[in-house]
Amino acid sequence: MTMLFWPIAFLVIGLLLLIVEVFVPSGGFIGFSALFCVGLSLWHAFQYSTRLGAVFLVVDFAAVPMTAMLAFWLWTHSPMSRKFFLKPPAPDEIGVSHSELNLPLVVGCEGRALSPLRPSGHVEIEGRRYDGLAEEGFIPEGALVRVVRSRSGQLVVRALRRPADVDSSQLGTRASAAAPTEHIASLIEDSP
């Protein structure tokens, strides 16, 4: 046997044990055994000569991290790891989960406050529930509101002073030219 046999044998055994440690749950026993074998490899290399020990030390500093990375790469591609990791989301699940993209479409619509807006709460516009933000002050629950703008995923709303004879069936619609004159007058009064 040559003088390189034991240092190389212990190094190979240590690296193989390091790979096995990733796949077999041993509470660290196999990992400590791997480090012990790598240490024995260095000890035998330094027994023969300082130069051989220095070469094995450099090889160990390169081989141990590379073997650990290889072991984790192999583990992530094994059937066992698929049980540990979540599957990536489907492309249709990645999209925006709320209607933030539709918020500019409801600017100018009317609705009602579902909760008190002090200054934020919930509003119902065109039969859909949105996060609302009062433009100024407090808006009580059930108050009629008009969307002024959208900002940061919320609708900025203003309370309306509407005539008592206008029914709530017109909520969620844009003000039209055929609306009663009192309704148009109240909208002009409330505009910025």
Side-chain angles (χ1 to χ4, degrees), residues 5-188:
F5 175 77
W6 286 113
I8 291 175
F10 280 123
L11 180 62
V12 169
I13 292 170
L15 295 178
L16 288 175
L17 285 173
L18 187 61
I19 292 173
V20 170
E21 169 64 28
V22 173
F23 289 95
V24 177
S26 67
F29 177 74
I30 297 175
F32 286 123
S33 300
L35 290 177
F36 182 74
C37 287
V38 169
L40 276 177
S41 166
L42 283 174
W43 183 76
H44 279 289
F46 274 109
Q47 285 294 322
Y48 290 114
S49 72
T50 306
R51 181 180 294 169
L52 184 63
V55 168
F56 267 83
L57 188 63
V58 170
V59 168
D60 284 350
F61 275 120
V64 170
M66 287 175 47
T67 303
M69 287 188 303
L70 173 70
F72 282 111
W73 183 84
L74 288 172
W75 185 78
T76 58
H77 291 82
S78 70
M80 182 185 347
S81 73
R82 290 188 188 100
K83 294 179 182 177
F84 283 96
F85 295 123
L86 294 174
K87 293 179 183 167
D92 59 334
E93 296 174 338
I94 296 175
V96 178
S97 63
H98 52 79
S99 60
E100 187 171 324
L101 300 176
N102 298 329
L103 291 181
L105 299 176
V106 295
V107 172
C109 291
E110 298 174 3
R112 67 182 180 91
L114 294 176
S115 66
L117 279 79
R118 41 184 126 155
S120 64
H122 297 285
V123 295
E124 180 181 334
I125 308 291
E126 296 181 344
R128 297 191 68 191
R129 181 184 181 122
Y130 294 95
D131 286 332
L133 180 67
E135 186 177 42
E136 60 182 43
F138 169 78
I139 299 176
E141 180 179 352
L144 300 176
V145 295
R146 182 170 29 132
V147 179
V148 179
R149 66 182 172 273
S150 65
R151 183 179 69 193
S152 302
Q154 287 186 321
L155 296 177
V156 178
V157 296
R158 177 183 299 150
L160 290 179
R161 281 171 261 145
R162 297 179 54 116
D165 59 342
V166 176
D167 62 11
S168 62
S169 65
Q170 295 175 349
L171 293 180
T173 61
R174 295 186 185 273
S176 65
T181 56
E182 296 94 6
H183 178 64
I184 294 173
S186 71
L187 290 178
I188 292 172

